Amino acid sequence: MTTEALGAAVEELLRPVTGTALSGGTGGAAALEPLVREVLGALAEGAARRGGPVAAASPADLAGGVADTFGAARGTEALGRLTELLAHGSADPADPACAAHLHCPPLAVAVAADLAVSALNPSQDSWDQAPAATVLETLLLEEMAGLVGYDPAEAAGVLTSGGTESNLMGLMLARDRVLGAATGRQIELTGVPRAGAGVGLGSAAGARPRILASAAAHFSVQRAAALLGLGEDAVIPVAVDSQLRMKTGALTAALERCVERGQLPVAIVATAGTTDTGAIDPLRECAELAARYGAWLHVDAAYGGGALLSDRLAPLLDGIELADSVSLDWHKLGWQPAAAGIFLVRKSETYASLARRAVYLNPADDEEAGYPSLLGLSLRTTRRADAFKIAVTLRTLGREGLGRLVDACHELAVAGARAVAAHPRLELHGQAGAGEPVLTAFLFRYVPAASGGAGASGGASADADADAVRADEVNAALRRRLLREGGAVVGRTELPGEGPGRVRLKLTLLNPHTTVREVERLLDAVVAAGAAEEGA
């Protein structure tokens, strides 16, 4: 077959197929324009049909509607119908009554920037797939290193899918550096040595590696330990105070016990912004203890890292600059579309065990000729240019503009916590005598009329236990009622400990345009749902 015939055959294959236009090239923008208009219209229609923070439906009813539309949508109508379906069936973090999770409403400018990335589809695993994006990510990471307090000339980092990936990277480097130095082995090549060989901390060849993290640390710490071959039980939970901050004395005692038992403290994970209360561990003290015991310090600041944008709140993270590695998520207190995670190390040489060479992506002679590669900085190969939307946002608003958003959300949380404390049917957790919410989240609960107030959470009597069980049941049920009726999306968690009376509701306020009155109306909705559950 001739070249001309082959070309005609390809054209014939595509002629009857709709939706084959590409988003790149000189014609990409023209192809996208009508489709983007259709998406925007469908988003508006879906949001109007939803009419609140979440669709009023049971999980089964919602699933049935999704299945019906998915099955019926075909051809040119698929984009509009499925987009409207997605908008109608999504929890909308821009709604003031959607305040359950670290799920931010993204800034419009960040979403527009993300559209450009999706259209061009650069991949960060080699320079020849993403020339400008490679440079932009490098420049952004230098700026982020300076924000944390690192020397940008000595630090290194990468964009990640979020805190879970960043925490895995931090603990991987901790394992390789600390356990490698203790055993004289290249852990990434030879693997984790067998524990329990009877060798003490001096030689450490058989010492059991340990990771110390607060009892309120993110579950990804245990997951990382499992993935790294250390085992989840290598993670030692350290006691927390009433605000869920790691106790320095408890950390010191846990480290001493490790040494006494011939175990190797590989890493300390300090949390800067727990998911429930935004608690920040004593970072400077953690750094001092890590240095004393030869452990790597990783700071999980996926949530609390946003405080670095605020002049008022940045001092809360004093000592973060001493960490060996840090996790940041700008899809939390940074108002970016997910994913927008950042992983940083204080010293670029500690990245050595991640370095990789793939001859089809980053041959040595290309790098010697001035073509840089980011491949050896990430656990992923194909990786979208998530740095772009963050770079656009920073250049549009600046640190000061983003800091104002952080401060607005913190003030909302303070006002919300005060409203809870003043309400006769609501009980605020842990704030009495402890000041305001640390960041933008707080815990509380609805107090059923028969529970006898705050005493429902404790007491040895059978009546007190029954009241505590009832309080847990009502709070869990009222949250589901709000979801089912489409009235609000409120978080749910449990306090550390044993027994009944530990269920708490959670507000995480990440919409800086929400008003104090809207937060008060949300709390009124919680009370109404609680009363309805009591009468059910």
Side-chain angles (χ1 to χ4, degrees), residues 70-169:
F70 179 65
R74 289 289 188 275
T76 56
E77 69 173 9
L79 176 63
R81 289 194 65 180
L82 292 177
T83 301
E84 181 181 345
L85 169 73
L86 179 67
H88 171 261
S90 291
D92 182 7
D95 191 291
C98 187
H101 302 287
L102 288 164
H103 175 201
C104 74
L107 293 165
V109 67
V111 173
D114 214 32
L115 172 62
V117 171
S118 293
L120 295 168
N121 206 29
S123 180
Q124 299 292 85
D125 48 319
S126 65
W127 186 93
D128 58 1
Q129 297 176 83
T134 296
V135 179
L136 274 173
E137 179 166 322
T138 303
L139 293 172
L140 176 72
L141 289 167
E142 290 175 357
E143 198 162 315
M144 292 297 99
L147 183 67
V148 166
Y150 289 167
D151 181 347
E154 296 184 354
V158 74
L159 269 288
T160 71
S161 60
T164 295
E165 182 185 350
S166 296
N167 290 344
L168 174 62
M169 293 180 70

Side-chain angles (χ1 to χ4, degrees), residues 415-428 431-432 442 444 523:
R418 290 175 180 171
V420 167
H423 200 290
R425 300 306 300 276
L426 298 176
E427 176 185 286
L428 185 65
Q431 299 299 326
F442 59 88
F444 68 106
L523 294 172

Side-chain angles (χ1 to χ4, degrees), residues 258-299:
C258 282
V259 174
E260 291 169 359
R261 294 169 181 173
Q263 298 168 343
L264 180 66
V266 167
I268 296 170
V269 178
T271 305
T274 58
T275 54
D276 282 346
T277 64
I280 297 172
D281 290 337
L283 304 182
R284 187 166 292 278
E285 290 88 342
C286 288
E288 292 170 356
L289 286 168
R292 184 187 308 170
Y293 286 87
W296 179 283
L297 177 63
H298 175 71
V299 174

Side-chain angles (χ1 to χ4, degrees), residues 30 46 133-134 143 162 219 241 321 367 378 427 445 451 468 471 496 520 526:
T134 296
E143 198 162 315
F219 67 85
D241 61 19
E321 71 280 2
E367 292 192 353
S378 179
E427 176 185 286
R445 68 174 176 170
S451 71
E520 292 171 345
V526 169

Side-chain angles (χ1 to χ4, degrees), residues 314-492:
L316 293 171
L317 271 65
D318 174 58
I320 193 171
E321 71 280 2
L322 302 174
D324 295 291
S325 57
V326 172
S327 301
L328 304 170
D329 276 5
W330 296 127
H331 52 250
K332 294 182 172 68
L333 270 180
W335 298 279
Q336 300 297 299
I342 289 176
F343 173 71
L344 295 168
V345 294
R346 182 163 48 89
K347 300 291 184 181
S348 59
E349 60 266 24
T350 61
Y351 235 122
S353 62
L354 263 174
R356 287 295 179 271
R357 179 77 61 195
V359 293
Y360 71 101
L361 292 174
N362 62 341
D365 56 322
D366 268 6
E367 292 192 353
E368 291 167 2
Y371 293 82
S373 169
L374 306 180
L375 180 67
L377 298 173
S378 179
L379 294 176
R380 293 177 286 164
T381 304
T382 302
R383 186 167 59 83
R384 74 193 304 271
D386 287 318
F388 182 72
K389 60 198 173 192
I390 306 175
V392 168
T393 302
L394 278 170
R395 286 299 173 267
T396 302
L397 279 77
R399 176 180 175 272
E400 180 183 0
L402 285 168
R404 287 177 180 270
L405 301 184
V406 173
D407 289 342
C409 291
H410 178 247
E411 289 173 1
L412 276 176
V414 171
R418 290 175 180 171
V420 167
H423 200 290
R425 300 306 300 276
L426 298 176
E427 176 185 286
L428 185 65
H429 167 70
Q431 299 299 326
E436 302 172 339
V438 180
L439 295 172
T440 67
F442 59 88
L443 302 182
F444 68 106
R445 68 174 176 170
Y446 173 80
V447 182
S451 71
S457 63
S461 70
D463 287 345
D465 284 346
D467 286 348
V469 169
R470 177 63 175 155
D472 285 351
E473 291 173 345
V474 168
N475 278 274
L478 78 82
R479 174 181 165 274
R480 291 190 292 269
R481 175 183 287 269
L482 289 168
L483 285 172
R484 188 171 61 252
E485 296 176 349
V489 185
V490 176
R492 175 199 188 278

